[in-house]
Amino acid sequence: MTLSLTVSDEVRALAPGFTHVAVEAHGLVNGPSTEESSSLLDDAARRLAVRLEGRAPHEDPHIAAWREVYTAFGSKPSRTRNSAEALAKRALTEAGLPRINLLVDVYNAISVAHLVPVGGEDIDRIQGGMRLVRATGEEDFVTVAGGEEVVEHPDAGEVVWRDDAGVTCRRWNWRQGPRTRLTEQTVSGIFLLETLTPMPPAEADQVGAELAELLEKFSPGAQITVRR
């Protein structure tokens, strides 16, 4: 069954150039990071360095567009960076990118190589469809702080992804909640690549196709569809 994804009119009005590509996959095999997934991350960091040619990630036109949108809904982009910028900054440090698990490594590598925010959610942990909306401020966002589960609430007007149970990712693609994240037990996932003008839709499609190919490589036989 295809997971429902909707974008509210309020979000489309805020960012008319927004588009997303969804890669839905069933029959995935996840596990700890491997030498191969680690190499993907190292290669992505090299591709990023070539792309930036010495510039900071926020100087890339696509990341600059994300900063403008974050400012438009009241977030400070230098304090709460979109996921692609945050990963890119880590990729350029001596410590490099974190190794999380196989599936997360794969989509993080795609994000860094192309400077595109990419998120992954465990479909079996999602309740109902997923919706990109502007928050009322009353929604629940369950996260962990100091080893304890805590409930936060987004700011009114903040752009969030949510399902029927609450917020799954705050500030558009800034921080994902633990409830729906990909774990080593995940077998079905939805991967969202999010783009803004000036990235052409055709380029977004190519990035989605690259992610789908990698998922097939690491999970042979998985049923994978790419859609808008």
Side-chain angles (χ1 to χ4, degrees):
M1 182 177 177
T2 300
L3 181 71
S4 170
L5 297 168
T6 57
V7 179
S8 72
D9 291 340
E10 292 80 8
V11 172
R12 293 200 182 279
L14 179 73
F18 172 69
T19 188
H20 67 273
V21 176
V23 181
E24 185 168 336
H26 299 271
L28 293 168
V29 178
N30 200 8
S33 300
T34 64
E35 287 187 13
E36 198 167 8
S37 71
S38 184
S39 294
L40 271 181
L41 291 168
D42 290 338
D43 181 62
R46 287 190 288 269
R47 293 168 68 181
L48 173 68
V50 170
R51 178 189 184 111
L52 290 175
E53 297 181 322
R55 296 173 298 156
H58 70 264
E59 296 178 275
D60 179 88
H62 192 225
I63 297 301
W66 275 107
R67 282 194 163 213
E68 290 178 8
V69 167
Y70 267 50
T71 300
F73 68 78
S75 183
K76 295 182 178 180
S78 59
R79 181 182 299 172
T80 55
R81 295 180 176 89
N82 71 81
S83 63
E85 182 181 350
L87 275 175
K89 284 181 66 68
R90 294 191 67 171
L92 296 172
T93 65
E94 186 175 343
L97 290 163
R99 275 57 174 166
I100 308 297
N101 60 51
L102 191 59
L103 291 177
V104 175
D105 291 352
V106 166
Y107 81 71
N108 278 350
I110 290 292
S111 176
V112 168
H114 297 280
L115 279 179
V116 173
V118 183
E121 310 277 354
D122 188 321
I123 290 176
D124 294 329
R125 296 173 180 267
I126 296 170
Q127 298 186 30
M130 290 184 62
R131 309 184 293 282
L132 187 65
V133 301
R134 300 198 71 173
T136 65
E138 298 179 357
E139 299 88 347
D140 288 345
F141 177 71
V142 180
T143 186
V144 176
E148 299 289 332
E149 185 176 282
V150 296
V151 179
E152 298 178 354
H153 303 283
D155 299 327
E158 180 182 324
V159 177
V160 298
W161 279 103
R162 65 159 302 164
D163 65 1
D164 289 350
V167 173
T168 58
C169 193
R170 286 197 59 188
R171 294 196 174 99
W172 209 314
N173 46 41
W174 167 62
R175 190 171 72 180
Q176 181 188 32
R179 173 170 60 89
T180 58
R181 67 187 173 192
L182 303 177
T183 70
E184 293 181 19
Q185 289 71 48
T186 297
V187 294
S188 295
I190 187 80
F191 302 83
L192 290 174
L193 300 86
E194 301 181 294
T195 69
L196 296 169
T197 305
M199 180 171 283
E203 184 176 347
D205 290 338
Q206 291 171 0
V207 177
E210 184 179 337
L211 175 56
E213 288 174 6
L214 284 175
L215 292 173
E216 171 63 28
K217 177 181 178 181
F218 284 95
S219 294
Q223 297 80 51
I224 301 171
T225 58
V226 182
R227 58 188 167 93
R228 286 190 177 279

